[in-house]
Amino acid sequence: MYIPSFSSAIADSVFPFNWLQDAMHALVIYLAAFFTTTPSSGVGSPSSISGKYLIGLGIGDVTGPVVETNMMGYASLAQTDTGLHMRQRSRAFIVADTSNPSERVLFINSDICMGDTGIRRTIISSLASRYGDLYTLANTALVGTHAHSGVGGYLENLLPQVTSRGFVNDTAAAIVSGTLKAIADAHNSLAPGNLKLGNTTLQNANRNRSPSAYLANPEWERAMYEGDQDWTVSVLGFEDTNGGARGLMSFFPVHGTSLYENNTLVSGDNKGMAAWMYESYIEPSSMPGNNSFVAGFIQSNVGDTSPNTGPGFRISDFESNRMIGQAQFEATRTVMEGNNMTGVSGSVKSVHVYLDMTNYSFTLPNGTLARTCPAALGYSFAGGTSDGPGAFDFTQGHNSSQPSNPFWEIVKIFITPPPSEEQIACQYPKPILLNSGYAHEPYDWAPGTVDVQMLRVGQFVILVMPGELTTMAGRRMREALRVKLIGDGVLDNRAYVVIAGPGNTYGHYVATREEYGVQRYEGASTIFGPATLEAYINRYSELVPHLADNSTGSPSSNAAPLEQTSKSISMQNPVIVDHPSIFKDFGDVLIDVESSTYYAGDTVAVRFVGANPRASLSPFTDSFHVLTRRQILRQNNLRLEGTFFTVDQQVNGEWVVIKTDSHPSTTYKWNRTSTVLGTSTVDARWTIEDGTPAGTYRITYYGDAKSFLGDISAFTGVSSTFIVN
């Protein structure tokens, strides 16, 4: 999404149609002003360099509206958020060549479902205005952890916006501003350091949710691997010149579906949990998000994985989330604290092109011609998976051309154009449910052009993939690129290749040709047809020479995808007004702590007179047509880099914050009690952990109320004190 610049961000001028672009720009400026510091000199060069690289790390809060907004991942209309479990974060990692600091890579790992073309476009545009040409399309990657419990409505194409009732500007603005804060912190912390690389095996933290499709792959190929899932945890460690740990990137494939479809509390799922565990392990006294050690738990070939391995998910999804997060944390810690990590050395390189996947023709290794297709989704896409069952009467494994439901055969014609004979043949054997690649009204339903990108630091190469590769698709991709890197003399046998995704663009799934033929969910969601994986292997392989030490110039590229955000529709209702309940004030305690004394394992719960925490447009604006720039900023408070409530301990007569709303022992839940009257309540809960110091505690709620005139007033509420023994 391109954000045009304007000289007076708070001017009262009125602007039509492209209000979303300017609204997002104003929000980003408004929010980023609080969270960024003055940038260091252009290349972040230190006065003396003793490390092999310059490294910088940062973290930022990207949590969008935690209420009244559809969540991203399960595509369920019913999954509208009602509160907060843990805040979503972006974590930024910069590595630059000490001899030529302009040669650098920026990897952003964000607790969102997937990277997005519009979000990335906005981030890179903002970086260009701040840092010039240091951070570019080629060297900047935006990858989502694939958490299915984050705030939705931020993707640029229409189809992922259906359940969020269109584009949610507040979600997108929060992601951009928090990510820019993380990048600024990483840039400003650039200092000499070193990298080290290692791995370990982690079992019982993922399983294959489509084993019948996996079995369609050749037996000889399956025999090369121990199981139908990848169990390798690959870790890139960041150190200062004294060997002190500054952060890490940990790659492991497991779906962000530990928290179920019926969960309505915003969270980073198991990757966010693992990151919090490692960061708090290193800096136990820091509040979540205020740490200098940055741990990125990065998604890999996630397509056919599930975290629901048991027994945790049989207890509760939150317990399963904790267990899968802890498994990744402990495996990563084993690598970082072991003695088997290898030093990373060599050039820093990156390459990026756009690839038009609607009709990409290429030659397979056996000499035959192949091509991709305009996007289309099969019936099994609507059948869902074991992690999130589909709606209506759709089932997986449907590859018949016979109608499964005459109603849908009629309805789908009005949703997307009927497929041509050419499209049917290209996508065969997929029975096409949604011919999304031909749907362009009111704007593009699906991507046609995707980002192809690779980042290299020494012998370590990241394939940033615009989709969800299945286990075997990921194995083929990694192996093919490693063979190419070594065969072309770009790297020696130390070459270590990992997959990160879904990143930059969401091109849905990437199944092998054999898995595609089975047409389970992953095959039905491989939108560009049966040759998708082979197309990616071909194009990424062509770009390998650009990762060589002496490479110069840029490869040829297809045109960038057209910007869609200015066309976006939003049907989310604004917050009109907040009122306290009768004879009450905002922040008043409605249900106080029920006991004067609590113990480890107990849950303290308090209910307050609340206000809507969702950012909202002024009630006096027509949100589809006209919005003044000043009114953009008259909104409720997302409290980015802050908190909706705290747990406080009395220490030497002073109240000290010990927990925020981003700690996994707390939950924040908002409830609308009257839409007409604008009244609501907030429930703040804290489950006391083992080892909590004995003492006197309280819970403090921080809210912001909106008047009918659009003014925002902050308020607080405080519970009675209680004792923890």
Side-chain angles (χ1 to χ4, degrees), residues 142-171:
L142 172 65
V143 175
T145 61
H146 209 45
H148 283 45
S149 49
V151 188
Y154 66 90
L155 276 85
E156 189 170 48
N157 292 113
L158 187 145
L159 187 59
Q161 297 177 5
V162 169
T163 55
S164 61
R165 296 186 294 174
F167 184 76
V168 180
N169 189 67
D170 298 323
T171 306

PDB file of all heavy atoms in Angstrom, residues 142-171:
ATOM      1  N   LEU A 142       9.803  -9.461   5.042  1.00  0.00           N
ATOM      2  CA  LEU A 142       8.744  -9.430   6.062  1.00  0.00           C
ATOM      3  C   LEU A 142       8.083 -10.798   6.113  1.00  0.00           C
ATOM      4  O   LEU A 142       7.383 -11.198   5.178  1.00  0.00           O
ATOM      5  CB  LEU A 142       7.714  -8.353   5.735  1.00  0.00           C
ATOM      6  CG  LEU A 142       6.460  -8.336   6.621  1.00  0.00           C
ATOM      7  CD1 LEU A 142       6.816  -7.982   8.062  1.00  0.00           C
ATOM      8  CD2 LEU A 142       5.412  -7.374   6.070  1.00  0.00           C
ATOM      9  N   VAL A 143       8.295 -11.512   7.222  1.00  0.00           N
ATOM     10  CA  VAL A 143       7.794 -12.881   7.366  1.00  0.00           C
ATOM     11  C   VAL A 143       6.878 -12.964   8.571  1.00  0.00           C
ATOM     12  O   VAL A 143       7.183 -12.427   9.644  1.00  0.00           O
ATOM     13  CB  VAL A 143       8.965 -13.875   7.512  1.00  0.00           C
ATOM     14  CG1 VAL A 143       8.455 -15.287   7.788  1.00  0.00           C
ATOM     15  CG2 VAL A 143       9.826 -13.862   6.254  1.00  0.00           C
ATOM     16  N   GLY A 144       5.740 -13.613   8.403  1.00  0.00           N
ATOM     17  CA  GLY A 144       4.817 -13.834   9.513  1.00  0.00           C
ATOM     18  C   GLY A 144       5.084 -15.163  10.188  1.00  0.00           C
ATOM     19  O   GLY A 144       5.507 -16.134   9.551  1.00  0.00           O
ATOM     20  N   THR A 145       4.824 -15.215  11.496  1.00  0.00           N
ATOM     21  CA  THR A 145       4.979 -16.475  12.233  1.00  0.00           C
ATOM     22  C   THR A 145       3.831 -17.437  11.968  1.00  0.00           C
ATOM     23  O   THR A 145       3.854 -18.570  12.410  1.00  0.00           O
ATOM     24  CB  THR A 145       5.054 -16.214  13.749  1.00  0.00           C
ATOM     25  OG1 THR A 145       3.846 -15.583  14.178  1.00  0.00           O
ATOM     26  CG2 THR A 145       6.256 -15.339  14.089  1.00  0.00           C
ATOM     27  N   HIS A 146       2.828 -16.970  11.260  1.00  0.00           N
ATOM     28  CA  HIS A 146       1.639 -17.739  10.913  1.00  0.00           C
ATOM     29  C   HIS A 146       0.743 -18.009  12.125  1.00  0.00           C
ATOM     30  O   HIS A 146       0.044 -19.020  12.190  1.00  0.00           O
ATOM     31  CB  HIS A 146       1.999 -19.045  10.210  1.00  0.00           C
ATOM     32  CG  HIS A 146       0.926 -19.511   9.261  1.00  0.00           C
ATOM     33  ND1 HIS A 146       0.298 -18.664   8.371  1.00  0.00           N
ATOM     34  CD2 HIS A 146       0.355 -20.732   9.070  1.00  0.00           C
ATOM     35  CE1 HIS A 146      -0.596 -19.338   7.678  1.00  0.00           C
ATOM     36  NE2 HIS A 146      -0.578 -20.598   8.081  1.00  0.00           N
ATOM     37  N   ALA A 147       0.769 -17.090  13.074  1.00  0.00           N
ATOM     38  CA  ALA A 147      -0.145 -17.172  14.210  1.00  0.00           C
ATOM     39  C   ALA A 147      -1.569 -16.952  13.726  1.00  0.00           C
ATOM     40  O   ALA A 147      -1.853 -16.007  12.991  1.00  0.00           O
ATOM     41  CB  ALA A 147       0.223 -16.132  15.261  1.00  0.00           C
ATOM     42  N   HIS A 148      -2.491 -17.821  14.142  1.00  0.00           N
ATOM     43  CA  HIS A 148      -3.893 -17.712  13.753  1.00  0.00           C
ATOM     44  C   HIS A 148      -4.741 -17.008  14.823  1.00  0.00           C
ATOM     45  O   HIS A 148      -5.967 -17.043  14.773  1.00  0.00           O
ATOM     46  CB  HIS A 148      -4.474 -19.103  13.495  1.00  0.00           C
ATOM     47  CG  HIS A 148      -4.077 -19.693  12.179  1.00  0.00           C
ATOM     48  ND1 HIS A 148      -2.783 -19.652  11.694  1.00  0.00           N
ATOM     49  CD2 HIS A 148      -4.797 -20.347  11.220  1.00  0.00           C
ATOM     50  CE1 HIS A 148      -2.735 -20.263  10.511  1.00  0.00           C
ATOM     51  NE2 HIS A 148      -3.947 -20.682  10.205  1.00  0.00           N
ATOM     52  N   SER A 149      -4.072 -16.382  15.792  1.00  0.00           N
ATOM     53  CA  SER A 149      -4.805 -15.708  16.867  1.00  0.00           C
ATOM     54  C   SER A 149      -4.478 -14.220  16.907  1.00  0.00           C
ATOM     55  O   SER A 149      -4.669 -13.572  17.932  1.00  0.00           O
ATOM     56  CB  SER A 149      -4.477 -16.358  18.214  1.00  0.00           C
ATOM     57  OG  SER A 149      -3.082 -16.494  18.380  1.00  0.00           O
ATOM     58  N   GLY A 150      -3.985 -13.701  15.786  1.00  0.00           N
ATOM     59  CA  GLY A 150      -3.693 -12.280  15.706  1.00  0.00           C
ATOM     60  C   GLY A 150      -4.834 -11.506  15.085  1.00  0.00           C
ATOM     61  O   GLY A 150      -5.825 -12.068  14.594  1.00  0.00           O
ATOM     62  N   VAL A 151      -4.699 -10.184  15.081  1.00  0.00           N
ATOM     63  CA  VAL A 151      -5.743  -9.306  14.564  1.00  0.00           C
ATOM     64  C   VAL A 151      -5.714  -9.331  13.040  1.00  0.00           C
ATOM     65  O   VAL A 151      -4.652  -9.306  12.424  1.00  0.00           O
ATOM     66  CB  VAL A 151      -5.551  -7.868  15.079  1.00  0.00           C
ATOM     67  CG1 VAL A 151      -6.746  -7.004  14.690  1.00  0.00           C
ATOM     68  CG2 VAL A 151      -5.362  -7.863  16.597  1.00  0.00           C
ATOM     69  N   GLY A 152      -6.884  -9.374  12.411  1.00  0.00           N
ATOM     70  CA  GLY A 152      -6.985  -9.511  10.969  1.00  0.00           C
ATOM     71  C   GLY A 152      -7.328  -8.219  10.255  1.00  0.00           C
ATOM     72  O   GLY A 152      -7.389  -7.139  10.836  1.00  0.00           O
ATOM     73  N   GLY A 153      -7.551  -8.358   8.943  1.00  0.00           N
ATOM     74  CA  GLY A 153      -7.984  -7.240   8.124  1.00  0.00           C
ATOM     75  C   GLY A 153      -6.891  -6.432   7.493  1.00  0.00           C
ATOM     76  O   GLY A 153      -7.162  -5.385   6.909  1.00  0.00           O
ATOM     77  N   TYR A 154      -5.629  -6.897   7.542  1.00  0.00           N
ATOM     78  CA  TYR A 154      -4.514  -6.083   7.059  1.00  0.00           C
ATOM     79  C   TYR A 154      -4.020  -6.477   5.669  1.00  0.00           C
ATOM     80  O   TYR A 154      -3.251  -5.743   5.056  1.00  0.00           O
ATOM     81  CB  TYR A 154      -3.337  -6.152   8.035  1.00  0.00           C
ATOM     82  CG  TYR A 154      -2.690  -7.520   8.141  1.00  0.00           C
ATOM     83  CD1 TYR A 154      -1.643  -7.883   7.313  1.00  0.00           C
ATOM     84  CD2 TYR A 154      -3.141  -8.453   9.068  1.00  0.00           C
ATOM     85  CE1 TYR A 154      -1.059  -9.140   7.393  1.00  0.00           C
ATOM     86  CE2 TYR A 154      -2.574  -9.705   9.164  1.00  0.00           C
ATOM     87  CZ  TYR A 154      -1.535 -10.052   8.325  1.00  0.00           C
ATOM     88  OH  TYR A 154      -0.972 -11.296   8.407  1.00  0.00           O
ATOM     89  N   LEU A 155      -4.428  -7.637   5.145  1.00  0.00           N
ATOM     90  CA  LEU A 155      -3.916  -8.062   3.851  1.00  0.00           C
ATOM     91  C   LEU A 155      -4.534  -7.252   2.723  1.00  0.00           C
ATOM     92  O   LEU A 155      -5.667  -6.792   2.809  1.00  0.00           O
ATOM     93  CB  LEU A 155      -4.169  -9.552   3.630  1.00  0.00           C
ATOM     94  CG  LEU A 155      -3.098 -10.448   4.253  1.00  0.00           C
ATOM     95  CD1 LEU A 155      -3.407 -10.710   5.713  1.00  0.00           C
ATOM     96  CD2 LEU A 155      -2.971 -11.765   3.505  1.00  0.00           C
ATOM     97  N   GLU A 156      -3.771  -7.090   1.641  1.00  0.00           N
ATOM     98  CA  GLU A 156      -4.159  -6.181   0.572  1.00  0.00           C
ATOM     99  C   GLU A 156      -5.222  -6.751  -0.354  1.00  0.00           C
ATOM    100  O   GLU A 156      -6.071  -6.021  -0.863  1.00  0.00           O
ATOM    101  CB  GLU A 156      -2.915  -5.787  -0.234  1.00  0.00           C
ATOM    102  CG  GLU A 156      -3.165  -4.680  -1.231  1.00  0.00           C
ATOM    103  CD  GLU A 156      -1.883  -4.152  -1.833  1.00  0.00           C
ATOM    104  OE1 GLU A 156      -1.040  -4.962  -2.264  1.00  0.00           O
ATOM    105  OE2 GLU A 156      -1.719  -2.930  -1.872  1.00  0.00           O
ATOM    106  N   ASN A 157      -5.198  -8.055  -0.611  1.00  0.00           N
ATOM    107  CA  ASN A 157      -6.168  -8.638  -1.532  1.00  0.00           C
ATOM    108  C   ASN A 157      -7.513  -8.864  -0.859  1.00  0.00           C
ATOM    109  O   ASN A 157      -7.611  -8.962   0.363  1.00  0.00           O
ATOM    110  CB  ASN A 157      -5.622  -9.933  -2.106  1.00  0.00           C
ATOM    111  CG  ASN A 157      -4.436  -9.698  -3.022  1.00  0.00           C
ATOM    112  OD1 ASN A 157      -3.313 -10.095  -2.711  1.00  0.00           O
ATOM    113  ND2 ASN A 157      -4.652  -9.035  -4.147  1.00  0.00           N
ATOM    114  N   LEU A 158      -8.549  -8.986  -1.675  1.00  0.00           N
ATOM    115  CA  LEU A 158      -9.908  -9.004  -1.140  1.00  0.00           C
ATOM    116  C   LEU A 158     -10.265 -10.298  -0.423  1.00  0.00           C
ATOM    117  O   LEU A 158     -10.919 -10.264   0.626  1.00  0.00           O
ATOM    118  CB  LEU A 158     -10.907  -8.739  -2.273  1.00  0.00           C
ATOM    119  CG  LEU A 158     -12.367  -8.548  -1.859  1.00  0.00           C
ATOM    120  CD1 LEU A 158     -13.040  -7.531  -2.758  1.00  0.00           C
ATOM    121  CD2 LEU A 158     -13.155  -9.857  -1.901  1.00  0.00           C
ATOM    122  N   LEU A 159      -9.886 -11.450  -0.978  1.00  0.00           N
ATOM    123  CA  LEU A 159     -10.345 -12.715  -0.406  1.00  0.00           C
ATOM    124  C   LEU A 159     -10.009 -12.861   1.077  1.00  0.00           C
ATOM    125  O   LEU A 159     -10.881 -13.239   1.864  1.00  0.00           O
ATOM    126  CB  LEU A 159      -9.787 -13.902  -1.207  1.00  0.00           C
ATOM    127  CG  LEU A 159     -10.323 -15.285  -0.805  1.00  0.00           C
ATOM    128  CD1 LEU A 159     -11.844 -15.352  -0.959  1.00  0.00           C
ATOM    129  CD2 LEU A 159      -9.655 -16.379  -1.645  1.00  0.00           C
ATOM    130  N   PRO A 160      -8.779 -12.559   1.524  1.00  0.00           N
ATOM    131  CA  PRO A 160      -8.507 -12.665   2.963  1.00  0.00           C
ATOM    132  C   PRO A 160      -9.242 -11.620   3.801  1.00  0.00           C
ATOM    133  O   PRO A 160      -9.254 -11.715   5.021  1.00  0.00           O
ATOM    134  CB  PRO A 160      -6.987 -12.445   3.054  1.00  0.00           C
ATOM    135  CG  PRO A 160      -6.469 -12.633   1.677  1.00  0.00           C
ATOM    136  CD  PRO A 160      -7.555 -12.219   0.772  1.00  0.00           C
ATOM    137  N   GLN A 161      -9.835 -10.623   3.150  1.00  0.00           N
ATOM    138  CA  GLN A 161     -10.562  -9.580   3.871  1.00  0.00           C
ATOM    139  C   GLN A 161     -12.032  -9.913   4.087  1.00  0.00           C
ATOM    140  O   GLN A 161     -12.739  -9.182   4.790  1.00  0.00           O
ATOM    141  CB  GLN A 161     -10.486  -8.253   3.112  1.00  0.00           C
ATOM    142  CG  GLN A 161      -9.107  -7.671   2.959  1.00  0.00           C
ATOM    143  CD  GLN A 161      -9.132  -6.400   2.122  1.00  0.00           C
ATOM    144  OE1 GLN A 161     -10.193  -5.905   1.739  1.00  0.00           O
ATOM    145  NE2 GLN A 161      -7.961  -5.860   1.831  1.00  0.00           N
ATOM    146  N   VAL A 162     -12.507 -11.004   3.470  1.00  0.00           N
ATOM    147  CA  VAL A 162     -13.939 -11.282   3.495  1.00  0.00           C
ATOM    148  C   VAL A 162     -14.460 -11.405   4.924  1.00  0.00           C
ATOM    149  O   VAL A 162     -15.455 -10.774   5.297  1.00  0.00           O
ATOM    150  CB  VAL A 162     -14.261 -12.555   2.685  1.00  0.00           C
ATOM    151  CG1 VAL A 162     -15.697 -12.997   2.929  1.00  0.00           C
ATOM    152  CG2 VAL A 162     -14.031 -12.292   1.192  1.00  0.00           C
ATOM    153  N   THR A 163     -13.790 -12.213   5.748  1.00  0.00           N
ATOM    154  CA  THR A 163     -14.306 -12.424   7.094  1.00  0.00           C
ATOM    155  C   THR A 163     -14.073 -11.229   8.010  1.00  0.00           C
ATOM    156  O   THR A 163     -14.749 -11.086   9.033  1.00  0.00           O
ATOM    157  CB  THR A 163     -13.685 -13.682   7.738  1.00  0.00           C
ATOM    158  OG1 THR A 163     -12.263 -13.574   7.709  1.00  0.00           O
ATOM    159  CG2 THR A 163     -14.119 -14.935   6.981  1.00  0.00           C
ATOM    160  N   SER A 164     -13.122 -10.354   7.661  1.00  0.00           N
ATOM    161  CA  SER A 164     -12.889  -9.150   8.471  1.00  0.00           C
ATOM    162  C   SER A 164     -13.748  -7.984   8.000  1.00  0.00           C
ATOM    163  O   SER A 164     -13.593  -6.863   8.476  1.00  0.00           O
ATOM    164  CB  SER A 164     -11.421  -8.748   8.442  1.00  0.00           C
ATOM    165  OG  SER A 164     -11.013  -8.450   7.125  1.00  0.00           O
ATOM    166  N   ARG A 165     -14.648  -8.272   7.062  1.00  0.00           N
ATOM    167  CA  ARG A 165     -15.534  -7.250   6.498  1.00  0.00           C
ATOM    168  C   ARG A 165     -14.731  -6.107   5.891  1.00  0.00           C
ATOM    169  O   ARG A 165     -15.035  -4.940   6.070  1.00  0.00           O
ATOM    170  CB  ARG A 165     -16.520  -6.727   7.548  1.00  0.00           C
ATOM    171  CG  ARG A 165     -17.491  -7.790   8.051  1.00  0.00           C
ATOM    172  CD  ARG A 165     -18.534  -7.219   8.961  1.00  0.00           C
ATOM    173  NE  ARG A 165     -17.966  -6.714  10.204  1.00  0.00           N
ATOM    174  CZ  ARG A 165     -18.649  -6.059  11.129  1.00  0.00           C
ATOM    175  NH1 ARG A 165     -19.932  -5.808  10.949  1.00  0.00           N
ATOM    176  NH2 ARG A 165     -18.050  -5.647  12.231  1.00  0.00           N
ATOM    177  N   GLY A 166     -13.684  -6.498   5.167  1.00  0.00           N
ATOM    178  CA  GLY A 166     -12.875  -5.518   4.460  1.00  0.00           C
ATOM    179  C   GLY A 166     -11.570  -5.217   5.160  1.00  0.00           C
ATOM    180  O   GLY A 166     -11.152  -5.891   6.098  1.00  0.00           O
ATOM    181  N   PHE A 167     -10.928  -4.185   4.656  1.00  0.00           N
ATOM    182  CA  PHE A 167      -9.632  -3.760   5.161  1.00  0.00           C
ATOM    183  C   PHE A 167      -9.800  -3.052   6.504  1.00  0.00           C
ATOM    184  O   PHE A 167     -10.694  -2.222   6.674  1.00  0.00           O
ATOM    185  CB  PHE A 167      -8.996  -2.806   4.146  1.00  0.00           C
ATOM    186  CG  PHE A 167      -7.613  -2.350   4.485  1.00  0.00           C
ATOM    187  CD1 PHE A 167      -6.526  -3.184   4.320  1.00  0.00           C
ATOM    188  CD2 PHE A 167      -7.387  -1.064   4.954  1.00  0.00           C
ATOM    189  CE1 PHE A 167      -5.241  -2.761   4.601  1.00  0.00           C
ATOM    190  CE2 PHE A 167      -6.106  -0.620   5.241  1.00  0.00           C
ATOM    191  CZ  PHE A 167      -5.034  -1.476   5.068  1.00  0.00           C
ATOM    192  N   VAL A 168      -8.929  -3.387   7.469  1.00  0.00           N
ATOM    193  CA  VAL A 168      -8.964  -2.754   8.792  1.00  0.00           C
ATOM    194  C   VAL A 168      -7.706  -1.897   8.918  1.00  0.00           C
ATOM    195  O   VAL A 168      -6.610  -2.398   9.186  1.00  0.00           O
ATOM    196  CB  VAL A 168      -9.039  -3.801   9.922  1.00  0.00           C
ATOM    197  CG1 VAL A 168      -9.082  -3.109  11.282  1.00  0.00           C
ATOM    198  CG2 VAL A 168     -10.281  -4.679   9.746  1.00  0.00           C
ATOM    199  N   ASN A 169      -7.885  -0.612   8.720  1.00  0.00           N
ATOM    200  CA  ASN A 169      -6.751   0.299   8.680  1.00  0.00           C
ATOM    201  C   ASN A 169      -5.974   0.302   9.995  1.00  0.00           C
ATOM    202  O   ASN A 169      -4.743   0.401  10.007  1.00  0.00           O
ATOM    203  CB  ASN A 169      -7.239   1.707   8.358  1.00  0.00           C
ATOM    204  CG  ASN A 169      -6.098   2.662   8.086  1.00  0.00           C
ATOM    205  OD1 ASN A 169      -5.398   2.528   7.097  1.00  0.00           O
ATOM    206  ND2 ASN A 169      -5.909   3.618   8.973  1.00  0.00           N
ATOM    207  N   ASP A 170      -6.685   0.193  11.117  1.00  0.00           N
ATOM    208  CA  ASP A 170      -6.012   0.237  12.411  1.00  0.00           C
ATOM    209  C   ASP A 170      -5.066  -0.949  12.595  1.00  0.00           C
ATOM    210  O   ASP A 170      -4.003  -0.817  13.196  1.00  0.00           O
ATOM    211  CB  ASP A 170      -7.038   0.257  13.548  1.00  0.00           C
ATOM    212  CG  ASP A 170      -7.924   1.492  13.493  1.00  0.00           C
ATOM    213  OD1 ASP A 170      -7.411   2.563  13.136  1.00  0.00           O
ATOM    214  OD2 ASP A 170      -9.128   1.377  13.775  1.00  0.00           O
ATOM    215  N   THR A 171      -5.448  -2.110  12.080  1.00  0.00           N
ATOM    216  CA  THR A 171      -4.564  -3.273  12.156  1.00  0.00           C
ATOM    217  C   THR A 171      -3.300  -3.034  11.340  1.00  0.00           C
ATOM    218  O   THR A 171      -2.177  -3.246  11.821  1.00  0.00           O
ATOM    219  CB  THR A 171      -5.271  -4.531  11.625  1.00  0.00           C
ATOM    220  OG1 THR A 171      -6.513  -4.709  12.308  1.00  0.00           O
ATOM    221  CG2 THR A 171      -4.409  -5.766  11.823  1.00  0.00           C
TER     222      THR A 171
END
